[in-house]
Amino acid sequence: MTFPFVVSVHDVASATAEQTATWIADLDEREVPATLLIVPAAFGGGPALPDDPALVAYLHAAVGRGHEPSLHGFRHRGVPGGPRWRRTVDQVLARGAGEFWSLTEQQARELLRAGLEVLAGVDIGVTGFTPPGWLASPGARRALAELGFRYWTSQLAVHDLGAGTVHRMPALSHRPGGAGERAGAHLMIAAARSLSRLRRPFRIALHPADLDHAGLREAAHAAIELALAAGGRPVTYETLVIGPGPETIDA
């Protein structure tokens, strides 16, 4: 019996183009399609997506090979405001990058539209959204549905806005630079092994910073290979929710 699993490449932007290419090459070698979480505005000291034609061309080629583009915030950094408890959660879970965690519906709608416009300007259409840190306020979730996004993802699930259903799929990811980095790498492998044996759907999230720390890349490879060996079927979020065939949002 097969089971789906999703691999996502986070923080795709000009500043992380080299790391993005490394992860995608690893996945192409294993014939695993990925969902590419794109930050459209200037990020990490690099220019906005339209100002990096080489990256745009690279992404078009990757999509042509079966990878899925998806929106990942706008600037990928937290915004002021919101109650103190939300600011605390943002710092703990997203290291201050929870851009959509405290937004009103109107604020979220404006940022989402801005992101879609940037992507449309470089001929990239998307069906889904992953908020930075997997944190989305109630207002942000309402805005996503209103703007026609088909899905959004949290850390524990993929939320199908069209069908009104939820795919329970925990996301396994590293936390590089922290005290528990090594233990976390072992936990990713152990969790992938356990979920694969049980044929339970799960996700593996790859970040640029993972490549700066010895062993994290290998741990991610091991988790992917465990899923494949157990009969896991690698899919993108779009394929999981919609099935084969594009369904994109116009800006």
Side-chain angles (χ1 to χ4, degrees):
M1 183 176 67
T2 64
F3 61 94
F5 74 98
V6 175
V7 178
S8 56
V9 178
H10 288 234
D11 307 347
V12 175
S14 181
T16 62
E18 182 178 350
Q19 295 95 325
T20 294
T22 297
W23 280 128
I24 292 177
D26 289 349
L27 297 170
D28 284 342
E29 182 180 346
R30 293 162 174 80
E31 299 183 347
V32 172
T35 298
L36 310 179
L37 305 186
I38 302 170
V39 182
F43 168 75
L49 183 61
D51 297 323
D52 190 341
L55 177 59
V56 172
Y58 176 83
L59 292 175
H60 279 285
V63 171
R65 298 195 303 276
H67 301 291
E68 176 205 358
S70 189
L71 185 61
H72 188 40
F74 184 65
R75 300 181 185 88
H76 199 286
R77 62 172 184 259
V79 297
R84 179 177 296 178
W85 74 268
R86 280 188 175 269
R87 297 196 300 270
T88 300
V89 169
D90 180 20
Q91 289 298 326
V92 172
L93 296 184
R95 298 184 178 182
E99 183 178 27
F100 281 76
W101 182 226
S102 297
L103 298 184
T104 65
E105 183 175 347
Q106 180 177 349
Q107 290 169 329
R109 188 185 305 114
E110 290 171 358
L111 272 188
L112 291 167
R113 281 178 172 159
L116 289 172
E117 288 172 2
V118 171
L119 294 181
V122 294
D123 197 25
I124 293 176
V126 299
T127 62
F129 177 73
T130 292
W134 289 293
L135 299 173
S137 67
R141 298 196 292 271
R142 290 192 296 270
L144 286 164
E146 179 188 322
L147 290 173
F149 283 87
R150 178 57 188 264
Y151 72 82
W152 74 279
T153 73
S154 60
Q155 189 154 19
L156 296 178
V158 180
H159 305 261
D160 185 338
L161 295 169
T165 57
V166 177
H167 300 265
R168 301 293 179 188
M169 298 178 73
L172 310 180
S173 65
H174 295 301
R175 194 166 176 84
E181 177 184 298
R182 182 174 298 181
H186 290 303
L187 180 60
M188 172 182 278
I189 296 171
R193 179 179 290 110
S194 176
L195 291 166
S196 296
R197 283 176 177 169
L198 294 170
R199 305 295 192 269
R200 298 279 179 82
F202 66 96
R203 297 173 286 154
I204 299 170
L206 309 176
H207 291 80
D210 297 346
L211 296 171
D212 297 332
H213 299 262
L216 299 190
R217 183 182 184 186
E218 289 75 13
H221 291 172
I224 292 167
E225 287 159 8
L226 283 164
L228 291 171
R233 178 171 54 91
V235 296
T236 64
Y237 284 133
E238 183 177 59
T239 301
L240 176 76
V241 172
I242 301 172
E247 177 183 301
T248 59
I249 304 170
D250 296 323

